[in-house]
Amino acid sequence: MEHKTLILVQCRDAVGLVSRIAHVLAGYNMNITAMREFVDEGEQQFFARIACDGSEAPDDARLLTALKEVLPEGADVLVNPRPEKRVAVLVTREYHCLGDILTRHFFKTLGAQVCCVIGNHDHLRKFTEQFSIPFHHISHEGRSQEEFERLILEALAPYEPDYLVLAKFMRILSPEFVERYRERIINIHHSFLPAFIGAHPYRRAFERGVKLIGATAHFVTSELDQGPIIVQQTTPVNHNFSVKDMVIAGKGIERAVLSKALQLVFQDRVFVLKNKTVVFE
Amino acid sequence: MEHKTLILVQCRDAVGLVSRIAHVLAGYNMNITAMREFVDEGEQQFFARIACDGSEAPDDARLLTALKEVLPEGADVLVNPRPEKRVAVLVTREYHCLGDILTRHFFKTLGAQVCCVIGNHDHLRKFTEQFSIPFHHISHEGRSQEEFERLILEALAPYEPDYLVLAKFMRILSPEFVERYRERIINIHHSFLPAFIGAHPYRRAFERGVKLIGATAHFVTSELDQGPIIVQQTTPVNHNFSVKDMVIAGKGIERAVLSKALQLVFQDRVFVLKNKTVVFE
Amino acid sequence: MEHKTLILVQCRDAVGLVSRIAHVLAGYNMNITAMREFVDEGEQQFFARIACDGSEAPDDARLLTALKEVLPEGADVLVNPRPEKRVAVLVTREYHCLGDILTRHFFKTLGAQVCCVIGNHDHLRKFTEQFSIPFHHISHEGRSQEEFERLILEALAPYEPDYLVLAKFMRILSPEFVERYRERIINIHHSFLPAFIGAHPYRRAFERGVKLIGATAHFVTSELDQGPIIVQQTTPVNHNFSVKDMVIAGKGIERAVLSKALQLVFQDRVFVLKNKTVVFE
Amino acid sequence: MEHKTLILVQCRDAVGLVSRIAHVLAGYNMNITAMREFVDEGEQQFFARIACDGSEAPDDARLLTALKEVLPEGADVLVNPRPEKRVAVLVTREYHCLGDILTRHFFKTLGAQVCCVIGNHDHLRKFTEQFSIPFHHISHEGRSQEEFERLILEALAPYEPDYLVLAKFMRILSPEFVERYRERIINIHHSFLPAFIGAHPYRRAFERGVKLIGATAHFVTSELDQGPIIVQQTTPVNHNFSVKDMVIAGKGIERAVLSKALQLVFQDRVFVLKNKTVVFE
């Protein structure tokens, strides 16, 4: 019987890193079945995602130590990260992303465990609860940003989520909140060519007569919508599209892009370096 | 034997326009084989592209008059617009768009007659001339914008082009020049999500880690890169792409998008209304 | 206040059809806001989808009679077809299409009323019922095809569905059954280039090393998977995809293609002529 | 100054292969900057494409020997394959693929040297020769297949091409000919869902009302159009497309797919295993 091991490495680049890692694995009698490696030459940073087979399961902690010993100081190494992530979903009123997440969760194909849904409106409670997922309504109204976020953090705490998914959560999170879940909050938003920053982007895209509507899934940083991009895709529109039709097309592409981004993140295929990602598809 | 007639209409919307047009055509014993009609309800503007068959060829001028009589005042009507447009191509140094245009012209599949190529550099002379197309080198160096454009207009005059194609022409044209070829100048440029306005867009797209590169073909107006969009498409990129790789991907999508836009314009499928287009694909 | 009217016409082609239709509408003081017209010249068949605005709602039956009077004998004309279709979904065990349909139904964006789900397995009962939709388990085991289909027809009868959606229903329906819902049964299946007819298509696509997996949504006819195509799309795969990964990719594209096809059908944008469709997107 | 080395490996899989290769490279003080590795588990076959930097250029022959020593017997290893391939293009009458190849060749962005064009018709001579490329007309008429192919081989011999590109070459090559350029002949052909095998595929696709037209680039084997697939893509069509329009769309997608396939092959990114490819994009 085969034991599968997944190893993730991100560290300063140096001569012979692959050799050193591979040497350690050969010592454990593990065979590399799929390896993705990338060096960002500008940033002198090394990334690897290594899938191995072995006739015996290694002691993960000892393997981790053995790998760290041969890698540059400060290397980020993960051996067998939790295969099924724990996820909390934050929503407002729109369901197009949540529907996809909960359906795939129901049939165990999301690759993650949805532990709860938090809404700043109560609108999606019934839909969520019919999937037997806890729904927490935490309104932002009549509350300071600080109190609003404190209540969310308190609601999240018992679930110990690995990731927060902002599935059309229409509130901006403070840098302090974001720091608590650094590189672990995933957001989705529509994107246009050219961009229409500010209010009423669909109305302005309509008035400009754009022929494409896009969506961007990214990690959240303290700078609004400027975090590392995970997935981007576009869908065609034309003069027959009213503003409302463009909104519908936008929701479709948002759902597809978030779905793809979650799949990549939950399979440990996405690395972050500064404001960019390395994605081993 | 069948005679084919193409009719283009753009006018203020009113009740019964299709009925009136169709009544005129029936009077000429012409059968509508393909009709595309659209009303921009916000702008109260009516657009139609009508292809007809008849056993006899109509007198185009009389048909035009008959149509104008039943349409609102000021209607733009064209009966059998010139099927093979006359086109001048303006270039600088990049060949990826020009190569496609001249190859298709050589094999008579461009749907247009390339009457000349004008370059503000002499770089593409040999390539152009081997296709037996006249090449005019009109440098912008040491000249005022006014003189530069006057020389271009003089070079263009004898060819009487229907359209100017800016196939990576890297100079900005003045509003006066643009007005001379109003809604008849087609430009192509790269596009990103988000947009990177200003210098070094590919470098900045690279630094931002974008996952898509796009291109936009549009009619030129006096406002830089803000004219009515004809076609937009995107192509995926990823962390493996260097800045140079992104530039190559950008050229590929620019070529495809300009090619598609020219095909639509040359087949009289594109109408302009204010800053938008109606495209009957 | 504006009253909107939708008119669908399919008939033998003849000179002046658009004129005649438009004349009738003008007589009702109705303004054509969007018209799509197509003539299949090989088949001499005329198709039109006409959206109108009027200050008064017409008497639909009188308008229908007036239109039929000016059209060739045997013309198919519909005035204001039921805007929200009644739909029954037939399933086996796979949920990827059903999940999308029920989620959009829940939020009233499907453009149709799901009246029931029928499964030849009981597998999808819980998922269906949590959306408060009736689920009927009608097993094919231990039954003749005739009896199996009779039971389905009996279950369907009280719902009077406009359309049957085969959302991965893995049984072949008899020509007699199909005839009962002629041009009203929509099926989805995977498609490859080249095709892999027969058993284990994904295994064979894997062994052939295909780089694309596609899906086709079509109306069901008595010839298996040979009915009029409504929508086709593809998604890229590569050597990293196991057979299982290809199956997952296939499900994703099937869901997207069926979703698009249903949207088009429910908006009365799809006409059938022999074994082809005319789709006014 | 950095010296770049490219290494390609295909061999029987074994424990520790990456370790052994990396160990050899570290011994040459070479740093792996981009590595793509894949194990086909079904076939027990290992593939790697390794790009390295070093402060000194290695002795390629010695490095090759050192690598072979640590790899399983019979390993295919290439160190610094010729960066600019020599290519002969075989054509019949259609220009859409040849035009793209010669334009990119002219501007030195093909990544290959076009040494000659061979046509079984003389139709593309003028177009080819205006690019100063030798054109050989070798007619198949009045000749046996054997003689026809012998003449082609004789014409090719002095050029010593690495690859033959069948850019719409409409003759079938014998197994003996194919064997002479085993895994070095690249073909492009249209593809449909479903496939239409035999005569008049576009007419049949039109009659079937397909919504997609595709193209497949593949290595040629002795079985017609059944060789390892390199690239596949599709483009949408609809009921407005005549047979002729479908042919035009087919040519566009053929050109794009062949262009992409050549880029991948010329950059040594394509490995062949039995009837499949591993493509490190």
Side-chain angles (χ1 to χ4, degrees):
Chain A
M1 193 199 136
E2 296 286 289
H3 292 271
K4 294 190 178 298
T5 299
L6 180 65
I7 296 161
L8 308 175
V9 177
Q10 176 172 355
C11 64
R12 206 174 66 242
D13 191 30
V15 173
L17 289 185
V18 172
S19 173
R20 297 180 215 167
I21 295 168
H23 186 74
V24 169
L25 296 176
Y28 277 77
N29 212 29
M30 288 161 71
N31 192 24
I32 300 175
T33 54
M35 173 164 179
R36 297 295 299 272
E37 184 257 24
F38 178 71
V39 173
D40 185 316
E41 299 195 29
E43 302 289 344
Q44 290 287 306
Q45 198 79 357
F46 172 93
F47 302 84
R49 182 183 189 276
I50 306 162
C52 314
D53 270 359
S55 52
E56 288 176 48
D59 177 323
D60 288 0
R62 283 188 50 216
L63 178 54
L64 180 67
T65 306
L67 287 167
K68 287 211 167 189
E69 272 170 13
V70 301
L71 292 170
E73 216 185 311
D76 282 335
V77 186
L78 282 174
V79 172
N80 286 324
R82 187 189 292 187
E84 182 152 278
K85 313 306 180 198
R86 296 181 56 79
V87 173
V89 185
L90 277 68
V91 298
T92 297
R93 297 176 64 91
E94 291 176 89
Y95 72 86
H96 55 285
C97 291
L98 182 66
D100 182 63
I101 291 169
L102 294 190
T103 298
R104 292 201 288 140
H105 178 255
F106 182 89
F107 288 106
K108 305 191 192 316
T109 57
L110 181 66
Q113 186 68 25
V114 177
C115 45
C116 70
V117 175
I118 295 177
N120 64 319
H121 285 273
D122 204 37
H123 189 64
L124 298 171
R125 175 185 296 280
K126 179 165 181 291
F127 182 71
T128 301
E129 290 182 347
Q130 77 185 11
F131 284 95
S132 309
I133 306 277
F135 183 92
H136 301 265
H137 176 208
I138 301 175
S139 177
H140 61 284
E141 287 183 49
R143 290 202 169 103
S144 68
Q145 176 80 359
E146 202 180 335
E147 189 188 354
F148 176 56
E149 293 189 350
R150 186 177 50 73
L151 290 173
I152 295 175
L153 288 170
E154 284 175 14
L156 290 172
Y159 300 112
E160 297 182 357
D162 296 304
Y163 291 99
L164 309 190
V165 178
L166 309 189
K168 304 305 292 175
F169 179 67
M170 304 309 278
R171 306 297 303 172
I172 295 169
L173 296 168
S174 70
E176 293 70 33
F177 187 104
V178 169
E179 189 56 30
R180 289 284 289 268
Y181 287 93
R182 185 178 156 76
E183 294 174 11
R184 290 161 59 198
I185 311 179
I186 299 154
N187 188 36
I188 181 73
H189 66 76
H190 47 63
S191 303
F192 302 92
L193 309 84
F196 299 99
I197 296 157
H200 308 302
Y202 281 100
R203 154 110 353 236
R204 287 156 69 208
F206 169 80
E207 284 167 2
R208 183 72 176 80
V210 300
K211 305 298 187 193
L212 284 181
I213 286 180
T216 298
H218 65 97
F219 287 110
V220 175
T221 59
S222 56
E223 216 178 328
L224 181 62
D225 289 348
Q226 293 293 307
I229 296 169
I230 307 166
V231 176
Q232 291 185 306
Q233 290 175 9
T234 55
T235 191
V237 294
N238 61 43
H239 64 270
N240 282 304
F241 283 64
S242 64
V243 175
K244 193 181 150 199
D245 292 333
M246 286 193 176
V247 170
I248 291 171
K251 287 178 177 179
I253 194 70
E254 283 181 342
R255 181 179 65 172
V257 167
L258 180 59
S259 177
K260 179 77 183 168
L262 294 184
Q263 188 185 354
L264 292 167
V265 169
F266 295 163
Q267 292 179 358
D268 296 297
R269 295 180 178 281
V270 183
F271 293 74
V272 175
L273 173 61
K274 294 193 171 173
N275 209 35
K276 298 171 65 168
T277 60
V278 171
V279 180
F280 291 134
E281 257 191 275
Chain B
M1 193 198 136
E2 296 286 289
H3 292 271
K4 293 190 178 298
T5 299
L6 181 65
I7 296 161
L8 308 175
V9 178
Q10 176 171 355
C11 63
R12 206 174 68 243
D13 192 28
V15 174
L17 289 186
V18 173
S19 173
R20 297 180 214 169
I21 295 168
H23 186 74
V24 168
L25 296 177
Y28 277 77
N29 212 27
M30 288 161 69
N31 192 24
I32 299 175
T33 53
M35 172 164 179
R36 298 294 300 272
E37 184 257 23
F38 178 71
V39 172
D40 186 315
E41 299 194 27
E43 302 289 343
Q44 289 288 305
Q45 197 79 359
F46 172 91
F47 302 84
R49 182 184 189 276
I50 305 162
C52 315
D53 269 0
S55 51
E56 289 175 48
D59 176 322
D60 287 0
R62 282 187 52 215
L63 178 54
L64 181 67
T65 305
L67 288 166
K68 286 212 166 188
E69 272 169 13
V70 302
L71 292 170
E73 218 185 309
D76 282 335
V77 186
L78 282 174
V79 173
N80 285 323
R82 187 186 292 186
E84 182 151 278
K85 314 305 180 199
R86 297 180 55 80
V87 173
V89 185
L90 277 67
V91 299
T92 296
R93 297 177 63 93
E94 291 175 88
Y95 73 87
H96 54 287
C97 291
L98 182 66
D100 182 62
I101 291 169
L102 294 190
T103 299
R104 292 201 289 141
H105 178 255
F106 182 90
F107 289 106
K108 305 191 192 317
T109 58
L110 182 65
Q113 186 68 26
V114 178
C115 45
C116 70
V117 175
I118 294 177
N120 64 318
H121 285 273
D122 204 37
H123 190 62
L124 298 172
R125 174 184 296 280
K126 179 165 181 293
F127 182 71
T128 301
E129 290 183 345
Q130 78 184 13
F131 283 95
S132 308
I133 306 278
F135 184 92
H136 302 265
H137 176 208
I138 300 175
S139 176
H140 61 284
E141 287 183 49
R143 290 201 170 103
S144 67
Q145 176 79 359
E146 202 180 338
E147 188 189 355
F148 176 57
E149 293 189 352
R150 187 178 49 73
L151 290 173
I152 294 175
L153 288 171
E154 284 174 13
L156 289 172
Y159 299 112
E160 297 183 356
D162 297 304
Y163 290 100
L164 308 190
V165 178
L166 309 189
K168 304 305 292 175
F169 179 66
M170 306 309 278
R171 306 298 301 173
I172 296 169
L173 295 168
S174 69
E176 292 71 31
F177 187 104
V178 170
E179 189 56 30
R180 290 284 290 268
Y181 288 92
R182 186 177 157 77
E183 293 175 12
R184 291 161 57 199
I185 310 178
I186 300 155
N187 187 35
I188 181 73
H189 65 76
H190 46 64
S191 303
F192 302 92
L193 309 84
F196 298 99
I197 295 158
H200 308 302
Y202 281 100
R203 156 118 339 247
R204 288 156 68 208
F206 170 80
E207 284 167 1
R208 183 71 177 78
V210 299
K211 304 298 187 192
L212 284 181
I213 286 180
T216 298
H218 64 98
F219 288 110
V220 175
T221 58
S222 57
E223 216 179 328
L224 182 61
D225 290 349
Q226 293 292 307
I229 296 168
I230 307 166
V231 176
Q232 292 186 306
Q233 291 176 7
T234 54
T235 191
V237 295
N238 61 44
H239 64 269
N240 282 304
F241 283 64
S242 64
V243 175
K244 192 180 151 200
D245 293 333
M246 286 193 178
V247 170
I248 291 171
K251 287 178 177 178
I253 194 72
E254 282 181 341
R255 183 179 62 170
V257 166
L258 181 59
S259 176
K260 179 76 182 168
L262 294 184
Q263 189 185 354
L264 292 167
V265 169
F266 295 163
Q267 293 179 357
D268 296 298
R269 295 180 178 281
V270 183
F271 293 74
V272 175
L273 173 61
K274 294 193 171 173
N275 209 35
K276 299 171 63 168
T277 60
V278 171
V279 180
F280 291 135
E281 256 192 275
Chain C
M1 191 196 138
E2 296 287 290
H3 292 272
K4 293 190 179 298
T5 299
L6 181 65
I7 296 161
L8 308 175
V9 178
Q10 177 173 356
C11 63
R12 208 175 66 243
D13 192 28
V15 174
L17 289 185
V18 172
S19 172
R20 298 180 214 167
I21 295 169
H23 186 74
V24 168
L25 296 176
Y28 278 76
N29 213 26
M30 288 161 70
N31 192 25
I32 299 176
T33 52
M35 173 165 178
R36 297 295 298 272
E37 185 258 22
F38 177 71
V39 173
D40 185 316
E41 300 195 26
E43 302 289 344
Q44 289 289 306
Q45 198 79 359
F46 171 92
F47 302 83
R49 182 185 190 275
I50 306 162
C52 315
D53 269 0
S55 52
E56 288 177 48
D59 177 322
D60 287 359
R62 282 188 51 215
L63 177 54
L64 181 66
T65 305
L67 287 167
K68 287 210 166 189
E69 272 169 13
V70 301
L71 292 171
E73 217 184 310
D76 282 335
V77 186
L78 282 174
V79 173
N80 285 324
R82 187 187 291 186
E84 182 151 279
K85 314 305 179 199
R86 296 181 56 80
V87 173
V89 185
L90 276 67
V91 299
T92 295
R93 298 176 63 92
E94 292 174 87
Y95 73 86
H96 54 286
C97 291
L98 183 66
D100 182 62
I101 291 169
L102 294 190
T103 299
R104 291 200 289 140
H105 178 256
F106 182 90
F107 288 107
K108 303 189 195 316
T109 57
L110 182 65
Q113 186 68 25
V114 177
C115 45
C116 70
V117 175
I118 295 177
N120 64 320
H121 286 274
D122 205 37
H123 190 62
L124 299 171
R125 174 185 296 280
K126 179 166 182 288
F127 182 71
T128 301
E129 290 182 347
Q130 77 185 12
F131 284 94
S132 309
I133 306 277
F135 183 92
H136 302 265
H137 176 210
I138 300 175
S139 177
H140 61 284
E141 289 183 47
R143 290 201 170 104
S144 67
Q145 176 80 0
E146 203 181 335
E147 190 190 353
F148 176 56
E149 294 189 351
R150 188 178 49 73
L151 290 173
I152 294 175
L153 288 171
E154 285 175 13
L156 289 172
Y159 299 112
E160 297 182 356
D162 297 303
Y163 291 99
L164 307 190
V165 179
L166 309 190
K168 304 304 291 174
F169 179 67
M170 306 309 278
R171 307 297 301 171
I172 295 169
L173 296 167
S174 70
E176 292 70 34
F177 188 104
V178 169
E179 190 55 30
R180 290 284 290 270
Y181 288 92
R182 188 178 153 77
E183 294 175 10
R184 291 161 56 197
I185 310 179
I186 298 153
N187 188 35
I188 180 74
H189 65 75
H190 45 64
S191 303
F192 303 92
L193 308 86
F196 298 98
I197 295 158
H200 308 303
Y202 281 101
R203 156 118 340 248
R204 288 156 68 207
F206 169 80
E207 284 167 2
R208 183 71 176 80
V210 300
K211 305 298 187 192
L212 284 181
I213 286 180
T216 298
H218 64 98
F219 287 110
V220 176
T221 58
S222 56
E223 217 179 326
L224 181 62
D225 289 350
Q226 293 292 306
I229 296 168
I230 306 165
V231 176
Q232 292 186 306
Q233 290 176 8
T234 54
T235 190
V237 295
N238 62 43
H239 64 270
N240 281 305
F241 283 64
S242 64
V243 175
K244 193 181 150 199
D245 293 333
M246 286 193 178
V247 171
I248 291 171
K251 287 178 176 177
I253 194 72
E254 283 181 341
R255 181 178 64 172
V257 167
L258 180 59
S259 175
K260 179 76 182 168
L262 294 184
Q263 188 185 353
L264 292 167
V265 170
F266 296 163
Q267 293 179 357
D268 296 298
R269 295 181 177 280
V270 183
F271 293 74
V272 176
L273 173 60
K274 294 194 170 172
N275 209 35
K276 300 171 63 168
T277 60
V278 171
V279 180
F280 291 136
E281 256 191 276
Chain D
M1 192 196 138
E2 295 287 290
H3 292 272
K4 292 190 178 299
T5 299
L6 180 66
I7 296 161
L8 308 176
V9 177
Q10 176 172 356
C11 64
R12 207 175 66 242
D13 192 30
V15 173
L17 288 185
V18 173
S19 172
R20 298 180 215 167
I21 295 168
H23 186 74
V24 169
L25 296 177
Y28 277 76
N29 212 27
M30 288 160 71
N31 192 25
I32 299 175
T33 53
M35 173 164 180
R36 297 294 299 272
E37 185 257 22
F38 178 71
V39 173
D40 185 316
E41 299 194 28
E43 302 289 345
Q44 290 288 306
Q45 198 78 358
F46 172 92
F47 302 83
R49 182 183 189 275
I50 306 161
C52 315
D53 271 359
S55 51
E56 287 176 47
D59 177 322
D60 288 359
R62 282 186 52 215
L63 178 54
L64 180 67
T65 305
L67 288 166
K68 286 210 167 191
E69 273 169 13
V70 302
L71 292 170
E73 217 184 309
D76 283 335
V77 186
L78 282 173
V79 173
N80 285 324
R82 187 187 292 185
E84 182 151 280
K85 313 306 179 198
R86 296 180 57 78
V87 173
V89 185
L90 277 67
V91 298
T92 297
R93 297 176 64 92
E94 291 176 88
Y95 72 86
H96 54 286
C97 291
L98 182 66
D100 182 63
I101 291 170
L102 294 189
T103 299
R104 292 201 289 139
H105 178 256
F106 182 90
F107 288 107
K108 303 188 194 319
T109 56
L110 182 64
Q113 186 67 26
V114 177
C115 46
C116 69
V117 175
I118 295 177
N120 64 318
H121 285 273
D122 204 37
H123 190 63
L124 298 171
R125 175 185 295 280
K126 179 165 182 289
F127 182 71
T128 302
E129 289 182 348
Q130 76 185 12
F131 284 95
S132 309
I133 306 278
F135 183 92
H136 301 265
H137 176 208
I138 301 175
S139 177
H140 61 284
E141 288 184 48
R143 290 200 170 104
S144 67
Q145 175 81 0
E146 203 182 334
E147 190 189 353
F148 176 56
E149 293 189 350
R150 187 179 48 74
L151 290 173
I152 295 175
L153 288 170
E154 284 175 15
L156 289 172
Y159 300 112
E160 297 182 356
D162 296 304
Y163 290 99
L164 308 190
V165 179
L166 308 189
K168 303 305 291 175
F169 179 67
M170 305 308 278
R171 306 298 302 172
I172 296 170
L173 296 167
S174 70
E176 293 70 34
F177 188 104
V178 169
E179 190 55 32
R180 290 283 291 268
Y181 287 92
R182 188 178 153 77
E183 294 175 10
R184 291 161 56 198
I185 310 179
I186 299 153
N187 188 37
I188 180 73
H189 66 75
H190 46 65
S191 303
F192 302 93
L193 309 83
F196 298 98
I197 295 157
H200 308 302
Y202 281 100
R203 158 124 329 253
R204 288 156 69 208
F206 169 80
E207 284 167 2
R208 183 71 176 80
V210 300
K211 304 299 187 193
L212 283 181
I213 285 180
T216 298
H218 64 98
F219 287 110
V220 176
T221 59
S222 57
E223 217 179 328
L224 182 61
D225 289 349
Q226 293 292 306
I229 296 169
I230 307 166
V231 175
Q232 292 186 306
Q233 291 176 7
T234 55
T235 190
V237 294
N238 61 44
H239 64 270
N240 282 304
F241 283 65
S242 64
V243 175
K244 194 181 149 199
D245 293 332
M246 286 193 177
V247 170
I248 290 171
K251 287 178 176 177
I253 194 71
E254 282 181 343
R255 182 178 64 173
V257 167
L258 180 60
S259 176
K260 180 76 183 169
L262 294 184
Q263 189 185 354
L264 292 167
V265 170
F266 296 163
Q267 292 179 359
D268 296 298
R269 295 181 178 280
V270 183
F271 294 74
V272 176
L273 173 61
K274 294 194 170 171
N275 209 36
K276 298 171 64 168
T277 59
V278 171
V279 180
F280 291 135
E281 255 191 278

